[in-house]
Amino acid sequence: MRAVAGCAAAPVAGFVVKCGMASRVLYLLGCAAPPVLRIADVVRSAQRGGWDVCLGLTPTAAHWLAAELPELERRTGHPVRSRYKVPGGPDVWPPATAAVVAPATFNTVNQWALGLTEKFVVGFAAEAIGKGVPLVTMPCVNAAYARHPQFARSLETLSSAGVRVLYGAEGFTPNPPGEGRPDAFPWECALTAAAEAVAAAPGPREAAPGETDEAPPAESGGAGRR
């Protein structure tokens, strides 16, 4: 497991347009853990770093941030997505240069590793492995969840598939249950790792259309918080 050492798509009415400001597109994919409540600050930080940010959320994370979604859409210039598109519908995001899945919950990490793609965030991340999109993830779980045997297996599966997993001393370190410190979640590690992953990618990558695909033909269910 490794540790860290042009124009947007056609604009939606009322959204900020960032043509010419950023040519690298970052899919920032957040899950329902407390650090996601600071996602607006992360979007701004990524934009300062030259990223055109597209924000995706799991359904529960989208519910937590419901009051902020209009401003997040205005800030990014793209719709905030938490669902698969309608089959045959247009892509509302430009193709990804890289993607960061963070904070990644116990549920999301395991679903991703097992290929259970009921959620849009997990479905994109699973397909992106096969498409060669540079991927970074930083889990956010408490120490009790971290001791579950499946969690370590899932992190190893993702790492062996080429995902940059930021976990441990130079990424996220679990806290005891009830003692989480969401303000200390090391977001900058994830943004730095995304830039490093793009720089390390072999040759210029032409992002394929359809990287925001509709749901797969047969969806798999998942349990727990999303």
Side-chain angles (χ1 to χ4, degrees):
M1 186 180 305
R2 298 182 63 188
V4 166
C7 295
V12 178
F15 287 9
V16 171
V17 180
K18 303 178 296 306
C19 288
M21 292 181 63
S23 59
R24 301 182 305 167
V25 178
L26 178 68
Y27 284 16
L28 180 59
L29 306 174
C31 308
V36 82
L37 298 175
R38 294 189 56 214
I39 203 75
D41 293 336
V42 183
V43 168
R44 285 189 285 268
S45 181
Q47 289 173 330
R48 287 193 296 270
W51 292 103
D52 178 5
V53 181
C54 297
L55 178 61
L57 300 168
T58 60
T60 299
H63 173 69
W64 288 1
L65 292 166
E68 298 182 43
L69 295 184
E71 173 57 23
L72 287 166
E73 292 185 333
R74 190 204 67 80
R75 161 64 60 177
T76 62
H78 304 291
V80 175
R81 297 190 61 189
S82 59
R83 299 179 181 180
Y84 286 105
K85 69 178 184 180
V86 175
D91 289 327
V92 296
W93 287 356
T97 307
V100 169
V101 182
T105 60
F106 178 81
N107 194 38
T108 291
V109 167
N110 292 326
Q111 286 186 330
W112 187 6
L114 294 170
L116 305 179
T117 58
E118 178 186 16
K119 294 179 290 188
F120 162 69
V121 161
V122 178
F124 169 81
E127 189 175 27
I129 289 174
K131 289 183 172 180
V133 179
L135 288 161
V136 173
T137 189
M138 188 154 56
C140 184
V141 300
N142 67 40
Y145 277 123
R147 285 192 287 271
H148 191 289
Q150 182 57 50
F151 184 66
R153 288 195 292 265
S154 292
L155 293 183
E156 184 56 39
T157 295
L158 295 175
S159 183
S160 66
V163 179
R164 188 102 176 249
V165 178
L166 308 181
Y167 182 74
E170 295 183 85
F172 174 80
T173 302
N175 300 292
E179 298 181 21
R181 296 177 294 121
D183 290 345
F185 191 72
W187 281 109
E188 287 303 320
C189 291
L191 297 181
T192 297
E196 292 174 351
V198 171
R205 176 182 167 275
E206 183 178 352
E211 287 182 345
T212 54
D213 263 345
E214 64 268 8
E219 295 183 349
S220 301
R225 189 172 64 188
R226 299 174 181 174

XYZ file of all heavy atoms in Angstrom, residues 56-153:
739
model
N -19.063 14.987 -6.470
C -20.016 13.893 -6.345
C -20.141 13.484 -4.893
O -19.163 13.533 -4.139
N -21.337 13.080 -4.491
C -21.599 12.723 -3.105
C -22.431 11.454 -3.040
O -23.255 11.193 -3.927
C -22.364 13.849 -2.395
C -21.686 15.217 -2.323
C -22.685 16.275 -1.864
C -20.478 15.172 -1.381
N -22.228 10.673 -1.985
C -23.156 9.585 -1.733
C -24.506 10.176 -1.316
O -24.582 11.345 -0.920
C -22.633 8.651 -0.623
O -22.479 9.406 0.582
C -21.305 8.015 -1.015
N -25.585 9.415 -1.400
C -26.894 9.984 -1.075
C -26.984 10.588 0.323
O -27.578 11.659 0.500
C -27.840 8.784 -1.236
C -27.180 7.944 -2.287
C -25.705 8.069 -1.996
N -26.396 9.934 1.321
C -26.463 10.489 2.670
C -25.637 11.755 2.785
O -26.047 12.735 3.415
C -25.998 9.449 3.713
O -26.870 8.312 3.650
C -26.038 10.026 5.118
N -24.457 11.776 2.178
C -23.646 12.997 2.194
C -24.389 14.140 1.509
O -24.353 15.290 1.969
C -22.307 12.742 1.511
N -25.079 13.860 0.419
C -25.859 14.889 -0.266
C -26.981 15.405 0.628
O -27.286 16.608 0.644
C -26.426 14.340 -1.573
N -27.576 14.525 1.404
C -28.624 14.940 2.343
C -28.047 15.855 3.421
O -28.639 16.888 3.755
C -29.257 13.703 2.977
C -30.229 14.004 4.065
N -31.451 14.607 3.840
C -30.153 13.808 5.411
C -32.090 14.762 4.981
N -31.315 14.294 5.956
N -26.890 15.497 3.956
C -26.254 16.330 4.981
C -25.946 17.727 4.445
O -26.021 18.713 5.184
C -24.935 15.690 5.424
C -25.075 14.454 6.259
C -26.228 13.820 6.646
C -23.992 13.695 6.822
N -25.930 12.708 7.383
C -24.567 12.608 7.509
C -22.604 13.817 6.772
C -23.797 11.654 8.174
C -21.830 12.876 7.426
C -22.430 11.808 8.128
N -25.595 17.810 3.181
C -25.155 19.082 2.589
C -26.256 19.745 1.767
O -25.969 20.678 1.000
C -23.929 18.838 1.707
C -22.648 18.439 2.450
C -21.616 17.888 1.464
C -22.066 19.631 3.203
N -27.486 19.313 1.946
C -28.576 19.789 1.084
C -28.660 21.310 1.021
O -28.848 21.889 -0.053
C -29.905 19.203 1.553
N -28.492 21.984 2.144
C -28.610 23.447 2.154
C -27.464 24.124 1.409
O -27.607 25.265 0.956
C -28.662 23.955 3.595
N -26.344 23.431 1.250
C -25.172 24.017 0.603
C -25.064 23.675 -0.881
O -24.209 24.234 -1.578
C -23.892 23.543 1.303
C -23.780 23.952 2.750
C -22.474 23.482 3.365
O -21.420 23.617 2.696
O -22.503 22.964 4.492
N -25.897 22.765 -1.365
C -25.724 22.282 -2.734
C -25.824 23.395 -3.782
O -25.004 23.432 -4.717
C -26.716 21.156 -3.041
C -26.527 19.867 -2.232
C -27.515 18.810 -2.695
C -25.094 19.347 -2.340
N -26.781 24.325 -3.679
C -26.814 25.391 -4.699
C -25.524 26.197 -4.759
O -25.028 26.508 -5.857
C -28.006 26.260 -4.260
C -28.896 25.322 -3.512
C -27.953 24.408 -2.780
N -24.949 26.530 -3.602
C -23.708 27.289 -3.598
C -22.542 26.438 -4.100
O -21.643 26.943 -4.797
C -23.396 27.812 -2.196
C -22.033 28.482 -2.036
C -21.818 29.661 -2.993
O -22.806 30.252 -3.472
O -20.646 29.969 -3.278
N -22.532 25.151 -3.784
C -21.474 24.269 -4.282
C -21.546 24.157 -5.806
O -20.515 24.123 -6.488
C -21.580 22.892 -3.632
C -21.150 22.836 -2.159
C -21.618 21.532 -1.518
C -19.629 22.977 -2.035
N -22.741 24.106 -6.340
C -22.890 24.059 -7.794
C -22.451 25.376 -8.429
O -21.805 25.394 -9.487
C -24.332 23.720 -8.155
C -24.710 22.302 -7.768
C -26.102 21.903 -8.232
O -26.970 22.801 -8.390
O -26.337 20.691 -8.437
N -22.787 26.483 -7.802
C -22.347 27.774 -8.319
C -20.822 27.864 -8.268
O -20.181 28.336 -9.214
C -22.961 28.916 -7.496
C -22.749 30.309 -8.117
C -22.825 31.410 -7.092
N -21.712 31.348 -6.152
C -20.489 31.818 -6.423
N -20.213 32.364 -7.586
N -19.527 31.723 -5.519
N -20.252 27.390 -7.186
C -18.804 27.486 -6.999
C -18.057 26.631 -8.020
O -17.064 27.053 -8.593
C -18.450 27.060 -5.570
C -17.003 26.673 -5.314
C -16.019 27.795 -5.492
N -16.261 28.930 -4.607
C -15.464 30.001 -4.570
N -14.403 30.071 -5.358
N -15.743 30.993 -3.751
N -18.515 25.406 -8.257
C -17.809 24.502 -9.168
C -18.175 24.747 -10.627
O -17.385 24.437 -11.529
C -18.102 23.031 -8.835
O -19.507 22.783 -9.007
C -17.677 22.691 -7.410
N -19.367 25.281 -10.869
C -19.832 25.437 -12.241
C -20.385 24.163 -12.835
O -20.640 24.084 -14.042
N -20.589 23.151 -11.991
C -21.121 21.860 -12.452
C -22.205 21.390 -11.482
O -22.164 21.716 -10.288
C -20.019 20.799 -12.491
C -18.835 21.166 -13.319
N -18.873 21.270 -14.689
C -17.558 21.480 -12.958
C -17.676 21.609 -15.138
N -16.861 21.750 -14.102
N -23.148 20.585 -11.955
C -24.097 19.985 -11.022
C -23.379 19.103 -10.001
O -22.388 18.451 -10.323
C -25.001 19.127 -11.923
C -24.797 19.661 -13.300
C -23.387 20.175 -13.351
N -23.865 19.100 -8.775
C -23.402 18.136 -7.779
C -24.180 16.848 -8.008
O -25.408 16.855 -8.028
C -23.620 18.650 -6.345
C -23.234 17.577 -5.332
C -22.806 19.923 -6.108
N -23.460 15.755 -8.173
C -24.116 14.492 -8.528
C -24.101 13.512 -7.363
O -23.093 13.356 -6.673
C -23.430 13.845 -9.727
C -23.516 14.675 -11.003
C -23.043 13.880 -12.190
N -23.852 12.692 -12.391
C -23.537 11.735 -13.260
N -22.428 11.822 -13.973
N -24.333 10.689 -13.394
N -25.225 12.844 -7.161
C -25.300 11.756 -6.186
C -26.039 10.548 -6.757
O -26.215 9.555 -6.062
C -25.997 12.221 -4.903
O -27.308 12.675 -5.179
N -26.450 10.651 -8.007
C -27.179 9.559 -8.655
C -26.591 9.305 -10.041
O -26.007 10.177 -10.653
C -28.659 9.922 -8.822
C -29.395 10.185 -7.521
C -30.837 10.555 -7.812
N -31.567 10.848 -6.588
C -32.847 11.203 -6.577
N -33.525 11.322 -7.720
N -33.450 11.440 -5.420
N -26.818 8.073 -10.513
C -26.475 7.772 -11.886
C -27.344 8.593 -12.836
O -28.487 8.937 -12.526
C -26.713 6.292 -12.182
C -25.698 5.353 -11.572
C -26.015 4.590 -10.456
C -24.437 5.198 -12.133
C -25.091 3.706 -9.905
C -23.510 4.323 -11.589
C -23.845 3.578 -10.480
O -22.931 2.715 -9.946
N -26.796 8.896 -14.007
C -27.597 9.584 -15.018
C -28.600 8.614 -15.634
O -28.476 7.390 -15.533
C -26.690 10.162 -16.097
C -26.018 9.124 -16.976
C -25.163 9.781 -18.051
C -24.585 8.724 -18.984
N -23.756 9.331 -20.047
N -29.608 9.161 -16.279
C -30.586 8.352 -17.005
C -29.876 7.704 -18.190
O -29.087 8.355 -18.879
C -31.752 9.233 -17.488
C -32.713 8.434 -18.357
C -32.471 9.849 -16.300
N -30.108 6.413 -18.444
C -29.440 5.767 -19.575
C -29.635 6.551 -20.875
O -30.745 6.953 -21.219
C -30.113 4.389 -19.647
C -30.537 4.121 -18.236
C -30.949 5.461 -17.688
N -28.538 6.790 -21.565
C -28.581 7.539 -22.811
C -28.536 9.036 -22.642
O -28.453 9.775 -23.618
N -28.588 9.513 -21.406
C -28.559 10.949 -21.157
C -27.175 11.524 -21.370
O -26.167 10.803 -21.394
N -27.083 12.843 -21.516
C -25.784 13.481 -21.767
C -24.916 13.495 -20.507
O -25.417 13.483 -19.383
C -26.170 14.904 -22.167
C -27.473 15.145 -21.459
C -28.184 13.823 -21.462
N -23.610 13.527 -20.719
C -22.684 13.716 -19.604
C -22.722 15.182 -19.198
O -22.542 16.073 -20.029
C -21.263 13.330 -19.995
C -21.085 11.837 -20.165
O -21.753 11.086 -19.451
O -20.270 11.439 -21.014
N -22.950 15.449 -17.920
C -23.011 16.833 -17.440
C -21.683 17.286 -16.842
O -21.547 18.436 -16.461
C -24.145 17.016 -16.408
C -25.500 16.768 -17.062
C -23.953 16.105 -15.197
N -20.717 16.373 -16.742
C -19.366 16.693 -16.286
C -18.377 16.472 -17.422
O -18.570 15.568 -18.245
C -18.952 15.795 -15.128
C -19.587 16.063 -13.812
C -20.453 17.063 -13.481
C -19.393 15.291 -12.623
N -20.814 16.961 -12.166
C -20.183 15.888 -11.614
C -18.647 14.164 -12.328
C -20.229 15.379 -10.314
C -18.691 13.652 -11.038
C -19.477 14.266 -10.041
N -17.297 17.241 -17.455
C -16.206 16.923 -18.387
C -15.492 15.658 -17.920
O -15.588 15.274 -16.748
C -15.291 18.145 -18.281
C -15.546 18.690 -16.917
C -17.001 18.427 -16.627
N -14.770 14.982 -18.800
C -14.040 13.775 -18.397
C -13.010 14.070 -17.305
O -12.424 15.155 -17.259
C -13.364 13.312 -19.691
C -14.187 13.914 -20.780
C -14.652 15.233 -20.245
N -12.793 13.091 -16.457
C -11.897 13.270 -15.314
C -10.432 13.127 -15.705
O -10.062 12.216 -16.442
C -12.223 12.248 -14.233
N -9.608 14.018 -15.166
C -8.158 13.845 -15.207
C -7.720 12.953 -14.046
O -6.786 12.153 -14.178
C -7.452 15.209 -15.105
O -7.967 16.085 -16.110
C -5.949 15.060 -15.278
N -8.374 13.111 -12.898
C -8.085 12.318 -11.700
C -9.326 12.354 -10.812
O -10.223 13.186 -11.007
C -6.879 12.872 -10.944
N -9.362 11.456 -9.842
C -10.481 11.426 -8.901
C -9.971 11.151 -7.496
O -9.035 10.364 -7.311
C -11.511 10.368 -9.293
N -10.594 11.818 -6.537
C -10.307 11.607 -5.123
C -11.591 11.144 -4.448
O -12.618 11.832 -4.520
C -9.801 12.896 -4.451
C -9.760 12.733 -2.920
C -8.426 13.275 -4.974
N -11.550 9.983 -3.816
C -12.684 9.477 -3.048
C -12.358 9.703 -1.572
O -11.542 8.992 -0.987
C -12.943 7.984 -3.326
C -14.171 7.507 -2.553
C -13.127 7.740 -4.822
N -12.959 10.730 -0.997
C -12.661 11.085 0.394
C -13.725 12.065 0.904
O -14.185 12.907 0.128
C -11.277 11.729 0.494
N -14.071 11.960 2.174
C -13.716 10.872 3.075
C -14.416 9.595 2.636
O -15.601 9.620 2.301
C -14.237 11.354 4.431
C -15.387 12.260 4.087
C -15.000 12.925 2.804
N -13.692 8.493 2.615
C -14.253 7.209 2.203
C -14.644 6.412 3.442
O -13.785 6.067 4.257
C -13.229 6.434 1.367
N -15.925 6.154 3.588
C -16.417 5.440 4.757
C -16.110 3.942 4.678
O -15.749 3.413 3.621
C -17.932 5.616 4.893
O -18.566 5.092 3.712
C -18.313 7.078 5.076
N -16.284 3.280 5.788
C -16.152 1.818 5.861
C -17.014 1.166 4.791
O -16.581 0.260 4.071
C -16.572 1.371 7.268
C -16.545 -0.110 7.504
C -15.357 -0.757 7.796
C -17.717 -0.839 7.482
C -15.338 -2.129 8.044
C -17.706 -2.210 7.727
C -16.506 -2.864 8.003
N -18.244 1.629 4.673
C -19.174 1.064 3.705
C -18.674 1.260 2.279
O -18.654 0.326 1.468
C -20.551 1.723 3.882
C -21.655 0.975 3.172
O -21.671 -0.234 3.143
N -22.587 1.713 2.597
N -18.256 2.477 1.948
C -17.812 2.767 0.590
C -16.543 2.006 0.234
O -16.421 1.460 -0.873
C -17.604 4.280 0.415
O -18.882 4.931 0.457
C -16.928 4.599 -0.909
N -15.571 1.973 1.141
C -14.327 1.245 0.874
C -14.618 -0.215 0.549
O -14.102 -0.774 -0.438
C -13.367 1.353 2.075
C -12.218 0.347 1.963
C -12.813 2.764 2.187
N -15.463 -0.848 1.351
C -15.752 -2.264 1.134
C -16.574 -2.492 -0.125
O -16.320 -3.439 -0.889
C -16.458 -2.848 2.356
C -15.550 -2.926 3.569
O -14.353 -3.162 3.441
N -16.104 -2.716 4.745
N -17.569 -1.638 -0.376
C -18.349 -1.788 -1.611
C -17.468 -1.621 -2.840
O -17.599 -2.361 -3.824
C -19.480 -0.769 -1.635
C -20.633 -1.091 -0.695
C -21.800 -0.132 -0.874
O -21.613 1.023 -1.225
N -22.997 -0.609 -0.612
N -16.587 -0.642 -2.814
C -15.690 -0.398 -3.942
C -14.803 -1.607 -4.191
O -14.678 -2.088 -5.331
C -14.872 0.841 -3.635
C -13.997 1.381 -4.715
C -13.913 0.961 -6.019
C -13.066 2.460 -4.578
N -12.990 1.714 -6.699
C -12.455 2.645 -5.842
C -12.693 3.285 -3.513
C -11.491 3.623 -6.061
C -11.744 4.261 -3.733
C -11.147 4.432 -4.992
N -14.186 -2.113 -3.153
C -13.284 -3.259 -3.306
C -14.024 -4.501 -3.791
O -13.471 -5.312 -4.548
C -12.581 -3.544 -1.978
N -15.275 -4.659 -3.365
C -16.058 -5.836 -3.731
C -16.826 -5.655 -5.039
O -17.471 -6.587 -5.514
C -17.033 -6.180 -2.599
C -16.386 -6.632 -1.287
C -17.429 -6.708 -0.180
C -15.696 -7.987 -1.463
N -16.780 -4.448 -5.603
C -17.458 -4.209 -6.874
C -18.959 -4.078 -6.756
O -19.686 -4.384 -7.712
N -19.441 -3.596 -5.622
C -20.884 -3.411 -5.410
C -21.218 -1.961 -5.736
O -20.939 -1.051 -4.962
C -21.255 -3.744 -3.957
C -20.825 -5.144 -3.491
C -21.209 -5.373 -2.040
C -21.446 -6.221 -4.382
N -21.824 -1.737 -6.879
C -21.884 -0.392 -7.457
C -23.286 0.215 -7.430
O -23.706 0.878 -8.373
C -21.348 -0.423 -8.897
O -22.110 -1.352 -9.680
C -19.884 -0.829 -8.910
N -24.005 0.028 -6.356
C -25.331 0.631 -6.243
C -25.249 2.158 -6.260
O -26.105 2.832 -6.829
C -26.009 0.168 -4.952
C -27.374 0.781 -4.725
C -27.955 0.431 -3.376
O -27.208 -0.023 -2.494
O -29.166 0.626 -3.213
N -24.215 2.715 -5.617
C -24.073 4.163 -5.513
C -23.261 4.712 -6.681
O -22.294 4.088 -7.123
C -23.378 4.536 -4.195
C -24.188 4.214 -2.962
C -23.440 4.580 -1.692
C -22.274 3.685 -1.422
N -21.664 3.901 -0.105
N -23.623 5.903 -7.141
C -22.907 6.552 -8.235
C -21.423 6.718 -7.919
O -20.555 6.429 -8.763
C -23.535 7.913 -8.536
C -22.639 8.828 -9.325
C -22.345 8.557 -10.648
C -22.071 9.951 -8.729
C -21.505 9.385 -11.376
C -21.236 10.778 -9.446
C -20.948 10.503 -10.775
N -21.104 7.185 -6.724
C -19.703 7.416 -6.352
C -18.899 6.129 -6.487
O -17.795 6.116 -7.057
C -19.619 7.983 -4.925
C -18.228 7.814 -4.334
C -20.021 9.457 -4.911
N -19.440 5.024 -5.984
C -18.731 3.747 -6.052
C -18.682 3.237 -7.490
O -17.664 2.693 -7.939
C -19.392 2.710 -5.117
C -18.679 1.368 -5.218
C -19.375 3.199 -3.681
N -19.782 3.410 -8.218
C -19.807 2.947 -9.603
C -18.761 3.638 -10.462
O -18.055 2.997 -11.251
N -18.652 4.963 -10.304
C -17.615 5.660 -11.062
C -16.237 5.160 -10.663
O -15.393 4.861 -11.519
C -17.670 7.178 -10.859
C -16.447 7.835 -11.423
C -16.362 8.093 -12.776
C -15.348 8.101 -10.616
C -15.196 8.621 -13.330
C -14.183 8.631 -11.160
C -14.112 8.902 -12.513
N -15.978 5.075 -9.364
C -14.649 4.702 -8.897
C -14.271 3.293 -9.336
O -13.118 3.030 -9.688
C -14.580 4.828 -7.371
N -15.245 2.379 -9.341
C -14.966 1.012 -9.768
C -14.615 0.969 -11.252
O -13.640 0.322 -11.663
C -16.169 0.124 -9.474
N -15.382 1.676 -12.070
C -15.117 1.682 -13.502
C -13.827 2.419 -13.823
O -13.106 2.065 -14.769
C -16.293 2.320 -14.233
C -16.228 2.185 -15.741
C -17.464 2.711 -16.433
O -18.136 3.601 -15.880
O -17.755 2.237 -17.548
N -13.520 3.445 -13.051
C -12.320 4.244 -13.309
C -11.042 3.423 -13.166
O -10.030 3.722 -13.809
C -12.280 5.444 -12.371
N -11.062 2.386 -12.316
C -9.898 1.508 -12.203
C -9.581 0.907 -13.569
O -8.439 0.924 -14.033
C -10.143 0.408 -11.156
C -10.151 1.004 -9.742
C -9.076 -0.690 -11.266
C -10.538 0.008 -8.657
N -10.613 0.388 -14.238
C -10.407 -0.232 -15.540
C -10.091 0.757 -16.642
O -9.455 0.405 -17.642
N -10.520 2.013 -16.472
C -10.268 3.034 -17.488
C -8.930 3.741 -17.310
O -8.549 4.561 -18.138
C -11.397 4.064 -17.475
C -12.713 3.529 -18.029
C -13.773 4.615 -18.069
C -15.017 4.133 -18.798
N -16.076 5.160 -18.851
N -8.244 3.437 -16.230
C -6.933 4.038 -16.022
C -6.968 5.462 -15.511
O -5.973 6.183 -15.635
N -8.076 5.884 -14.926
C -8.139 7.221 -14.331
C -7.309 7.214 -13.046
O -7.505 6.340 -12.196
C -9.595 7.602 -13.996
C -9.653 8.990 -13.343
C -10.467 7.567 -15.248
N -6.374 8.142 -12.860
C -5.626 8.185 -11.594
C -6.582 8.378 -10.414
O -7.393 9.300 -10.403
C -4.705 9.393 -11.776
C -4.516 9.506 -13.260
C -5.854 9.126 -13.845
N -6.473 7.497 -9.443
C -7.408 7.459 -8.320
C -6.672 7.560 -6.992
O -5.644 6.909 -6.782
C -8.206 6.146 -8.330
C -9.262 5.987 -9.429
C -9.627 4.516 -9.596
C -10.510 6.788 -9.082
N -7.240 8.353 -6.105
C -6.739 8.499 -4.740
C -7.906 8.303 -3.796
O -9.014 8.783 -4.067
C -6.129 9.897 -4.521
C -5.758 10.114 -3.059
C -4.918 10.109 -5.420
N -7.688 7.610 -2.697
C -8.728 7.533 -1.677
C -8.120 7.717 -0.296
O -6.980 7.297 -0.044
C -9.502 6.204 -1.736
O -10.633 6.276 -0.861
C -8.648 5.010 -1.323
N -8.863 8.374 0.576
C -8.458 8.511 1.971
C -9.643 8.090 2.833
O -10.668 8.767 2.875
C -8.017 9.934 2.298
C -7.399 10.043 3.691
S -6.220 11.423 3.822
C -7.241 12.809 3.324
N -9.515 6.942 3.510
C -10.622 6.462 4.343
C -10.864 7.378 5.541
O -10.010 8.181 5.933
C -10.134 5.079 4.813
C -9.045 4.701 3.862
C -8.400 5.995 3.477
N -12.046 7.235 6.111
C -12.388 7.905 7.371
C -13.263 6.945 8.160
O -14.477 6.864 7.941
C -13.114 9.222 7.103
S -13.469 10.161 8.610
N -12.624 6.178 9.030
C -13.317 5.182 9.848
C -12.772 5.265 11.267
O -11.661 5.736 11.482
C -13.107 3.752 9.304
C -13.629 3.621 7.884
C -11.634 3.344 9.355
N -13.552 4.802 12.231
C -13.006 4.752 13.584
C -12.216 3.452 13.772
O -12.233 2.550 12.920
C -14.095 4.941 14.638
C -15.096 3.809 14.700
O -14.758 2.631 14.593
N -16.372 4.162 14.893
N -11.501 3.366 14.886
C -10.591 2.242 15.105
C -11.318 0.916 15.216
O -10.755 -0.134 14.873
C -9.756 2.496 16.363
N -12.577 0.941 15.660
C -13.335 -0.305 15.753
C -13.643 -0.857 14.364
O -13.473 -2.051 14.097
C -14.629 -0.071 16.535
N -14.114 0.014 13.465
C -14.341 -0.428 12.093
C -13.038 -0.888 11.455
O -13.005 -1.861 10.693
C -14.926 0.707 11.263
C -16.417 0.887 11.379
C -16.950 2.105 11.789
C -17.287 -0.148 11.059
C -18.326 2.282 11.886
C -18.662 0.016 11.149
C -19.178 1.242 11.560
O -20.532 1.412 11.644
N -11.949 -0.190 11.730
C -10.668 -0.522 11.115
C -10.183 -1.917 11.497
O -9.407 -2.531 10.751
C -9.620 0.517 11.498
N -10.643 -2.421 12.642
C -10.229 -3.761 13.074
C -11.041 -4.870 12.404
O -10.712 -6.054 12.551
C -10.323 -3.865 14.596
C -9.204 -3.137 15.321
C -9.147 -3.503 16.792
N -10.235 -2.917 17.546
C -10.202 -1.720 18.127
N -9.117 -0.982 18.034
N -11.239 -1.263 18.809
N -12.105 -4.505 11.698
C -12.871 -5.529 10.990
C -11.987 -6.137 9.900
O -11.347 -5.418 9.144
C -14.120 -4.896 10.363
C -15.112 -5.893 9.842
N -14.880 -6.659 8.719
C -16.339 -6.241 10.297
C -15.917 -7.433 8.494
N -16.826 -7.194 9.444
N -11.940 -7.467 9.790
C -11.005 -8.083 8.837
C -11.242 -7.689 7.385
O -10.296 -7.635 6.595
C -11.197 -9.587 9.054
C -12.502 -9.721 9.778
C -12.653 -8.482 10.591
N -12.478 -7.382 7.022
C -12.731 -7.026 5.628
C -12.102 -5.692 5.257
O -11.723 -5.478 4.102
C -14.240 -6.972 5.359
C -14.604 -6.655 3.908
C -14.000 -7.640 2.921
O -14.118 -8.849 3.103
N -13.343 -7.138 1.878
N -11.981 -4.788 6.221
C -11.469 -3.455 5.905
C -10.033 -3.522 5.376
O -9.717 -2.928 4.343
C -11.546 -2.557 7.137
C -11.130 -1.141 6.888
C -11.874 -0.314 6.061
C -9.981 -0.626 7.483
C -11.488 0.993 5.823
C -9.593 0.684 7.258
C -10.350 1.496 6.425
N -9.175 -4.241 6.065
C -7.785 -4.375 5.600
C -7.726 -5.054 4.242
O -6.933 -4.665 3.368
C -6.958 -5.155 6.623
N -8.563 -6.081 4.044
C -8.583 -6.749 2.740
C -9.013 -5.784 1.641
O -8.466 -5.794 0.533
C -9.519 -7.959 2.791
C -8.985 -9.133 3.596
C -9.758 -10.396 3.320
N -11.123 -10.345 3.829
C -11.504 -10.816 5.016
N -10.596 -11.353 5.831
N -12.758 -10.755 5.397
